[in-house]
Amino acid sequence: MRNQEVSRIFAAMADILAIKSASVHRIRTYRRASENVASLGRPIDELWGADQLDTIPGIGKTLASKIDELMRTGRIEAYQKLKAEVPAGVVAMLQIPGVGAKRVALFWNTLGVTTVDDLAQAARDGRVASLPGMGARSQEELLAGIEMLGRRTDRMLLGIAWPLARDMLGALREAPGVVRAIPAGSLRRRRETVGDLDLLVAAEGPDPDGAAIARSVMDRFCGLPQVAEVLLSGITKSSIRTHDGLQVDLRVLEPARWGTALQYFTGSQAHNIRLRSIARERGLSLSEYALQRDDGSQILCATEEQVYGALGLPYIPPELREDRGEIMAAQNGRLPQLVQIEDLLGDLHMHSTWSDGHQSLLEMARAAQAHGLSYAVVADHTWSLGVVRGLTADRLRAQRHAIAEANRELGGGFRLLAGAEVEIRADGSLDFPDEVLAELDVVVAALHSGLRQSREQVTSRVLGAIRNPHVDIIAHPTGRLIGEREAADLDMEAVFQAAAETGTALEVNSWPKRLDLRDAHVRRAIELGVMLSVGSDAHHGSGFSDLAYGVATARRGWATVADVVNVWPAERLLEWTSRPGAS
Ligand code: DGT
Ligand code: CA
Ligand code: CA
């Protein structure tokens, strides 16, 4: 599948065009094409083979011919030309948090810098501050951004690694003799980022030692289209590096030892160390191969339940295996019944073309329904968020009519609720007065600006929003973007206490770059009695599948159905939003 490659090239072309200040239309065309190819859901090679590239939204004749060129020749001439015009080090400046194409062009054209290092030096020399539109403060922010870029690890977002693992395993499952194929390691524990992928396959076959079967699985693995480089190709373990630079280890096992191997390679290491000491107390030694008694005899475990069972424990879900008290909870029969994706009945945070979303109310509703939901809150951005076409009070009212219209069209099988993602402004006030908020079914409030304010300032803004009786949910409370932007310096204890007191829910935002609240915050919030809302933040119908990442994060924070408001039917949710003290 070459979708990722095509998507990456179009995104890179859009970046270069933006630095060259090409027409906004042209830049957007490439950007959209990149997004649409990434979320295509079927191999682009297939569409190309069937001469159907132009059925992809946003791909016209010109872009189709470029994809065709790539498929036939392995390169796109126009991309090569663009790359020759703008140095790679200049394009890399776009990765600096807070730096967009206009700034990059300014640095390149006026300072003559062609690498991020040159730019950092120029900032340290004070040459950035004197540029038009810049100043001492923006120079400092630039240096902080570059520093953050340097600290960025090469861990991959869960939202990228999970689909990648799914694709690779899907291909391996088709190999002869394969009976199971799943990701272990941090991906199975659903950590927000993964260092490398640890894939496990159980295979069995006619030949006595299974070697031929294992060999054929390994060959298939090393030949997958995602593979850029084979690091190691053995009979029990192979390692490759993908085009995105991610290392993937594959182990092929006998089904009879599947349980111990899966348990071992799922980790975490800290969890495993505890399990081994419990095993020793029972006169057993636990390894990836088996449980072994003191007399040397082995207990083979085909399932993880058998491993945990032999140690006197119930099965512990992978998301909990971080040595954060899960083993004691298991021993005391107090493991939480974790919330599951199937438990969600609605989504409380999605966008439409009324602000910066890509699809209409009706399209979003149908997509949400197709994802198994029965209602969704339209939470478009409000006017003071400058970068998007945020809603004024008048347009918000007009949107309510459109929502009613869409609901009639949907005919009762699905319901859109009227909401807004109301901006919490830098001075702490909200974009709408109370009487406008009072007209909405659900009010979501969020910070998008002033995230670097002092702890006192930024905390008081969030507390103010929580205490507003109309506000039901605080979206992505800390504002962090994984690997890009630190969380605001919030006093989280104060935030959790206020949310618990007022019955305001805090969101677990499902967008893979956010996952905010994060796992540790979820855990503490629940301890203090805070309700959670798992929100997709979808800007496109395909965005509802991100809910899986939000649910995973909630599970890592020990959340049960009792902690999540969008497991309720719409009627109960609306009772909650009109609870005493709210409206
Ligand atoms: P990552 O890759 O950094 O996101 O995190 P993990 O947890 O996937 O770690 P990784 O890939 O090094 O190893 C996968 C699992 O294998 C790990 O969670 C537990 C197990 N494991 C690996 N090496 C060791 C080890 O030296 N001791 C123990 N007890 N377990 C290990
Ligand atoms: Ca790993
Ligand atoms: Ca590994």
Side-chain angles (χ1 to χ4, degrees), residues 84-112:
E85 285 176 53
V86 180
V90 172
V91 181
M93 291 174 195
L94 286 172
Q95 303 301 314
I96 305 168
V99 173
K102 280 212 181 71
R103 288 250 159 117
V104 170
L106 178 71
F107 299 148
W108 181 35
N109 295 328
T110 59
L111 299 171

Side-chain angles (χ1 to χ4, degrees), residues 134-152:
M134 302 287 291
R137 173 139 181 222
S138 32
Q139 176 169 277
E140 227 166 84
E141 283 170 2
L142 176 68
L143 273 172
I146 293 176
E147 204 177 291
M148 180 148 189
L149 189 65
R151 276 202 310 271
R152 203 182 276 183

Side-chain angles (χ1 to χ4, degrees), residues 155 184-187 189 191 193-198 249 263-270 272-273 276:
R155 297 180 66 84
S186 50
L187 178 65
R189 303 196 313 278
R191 273 191 64 180
T193 60
V194 307
D196 68 6
L197 286 187
D198 308 280
D249 300 339
Q263 197 292 313
Y264 179 88
F265 289 110
T266 297
S268 67
Q269 200 164 327
N272 287 356
I273 288 169
R276 280 201 298 270

Side-chain angles (χ1 to χ4, degrees), residues 27-240:
I27 299 165
R28 199 180 302 138
T29 303
Y30 278 100
R31 196 84 67 202
R32 262 196 71 203
S34 166
E35 286 165 11
N36 289 339
V37 169
S39 60
L40 199 53
R42 53 183 288 203
I44 196 164
D45 324 47
E46 245 171 46
L47 289 171
W48 173 69
D51 202 15
Q52 287 174 350
L53 287 174
D54 55 359
T55 62
I56 307 170
I59 304 278
K61 273 209 171 58
T62 320
L63 292 189
S65 79
K66 291 200 164 62
I67 297 171
D68 176 61
E69 182 187 353
L70 181 73
M71 296 294 175
R72 282 184 298 103
T73 68
R75 49 190 272 145
I76 297 175
E77 202 47 46
Y79 177 44
Q80 302 300 328
K81 252 170 79 186
L82 282 173
K83 280 205 296 188
E85 285 176 53
V86 180
V90 172
V91 181
M93 291 174 195
L94 286 172
Q95 303 301 314
I96 305 168
V99 173
K102 280 212 181 71
R103 288 250 159 117
V104 170
L106 178 71
F107 299 148
W108 181 35
N109 295 328
T110 59
L111 299 171
V113 290
T114 55
T115 66
V116 174
D117 284 348
D118 287 354
L119 178 61
Q121 193 54 50
R124 281 192 291 269
D125 296 347
R127 281 181 286 144
V128 169
S130 55
L131 294 174
M134 302 287 291
R137 173 139 181 222
S138 32
Q139 176 169 277
E140 227 166 84
E141 283 170 2
L142 176 68
L143 273 172
I146 293 176
E147 204 177 291
M148 180 148 189
L149 189 65
R151 276 202 310 271
R152 203 182 276 183
T153 64
D154 26 0
R155 297 180 66 84
M156 185 179 266
L157 292 177
L158 177 64
I160 299 185
W162 196 351
L164 176 72
R166 209 154 31 212
D167 285 350
M168 298 183 86
L169 290 167
L172 295 180
R173 253 179 226 122
E174 287 164 17
V178 169
V179 291
R180 306 214 45 186
I182 77 162
S186 50
L187 178 65
R188 183 157 181 251
R189 303 196 313 278
R190 311 290 190 239
R191 273 191 64 180
E192 61 192 35
T193 60
V194 307
D196 68 6
L197 286 187
D198 308 280
L199 306 183
L200 300 183
V201 159
E204 60 190 352
D207 68 310
D209 57 4
I213 289 284
R215 184 74 264 160
S216 84
V217 174
M218 290 304 189
D219 286 347
R220 192 174 282 236
F221 175 61
C222 295
L224 290 175
Q226 291 89 348
V227 175
E229 187 189 354
V230 175
L231 306 171
L232 167 93
S233 170
I235 190 100
T236 52
K237 180 185 170 187
S238 295
S239 294
I240 61 96

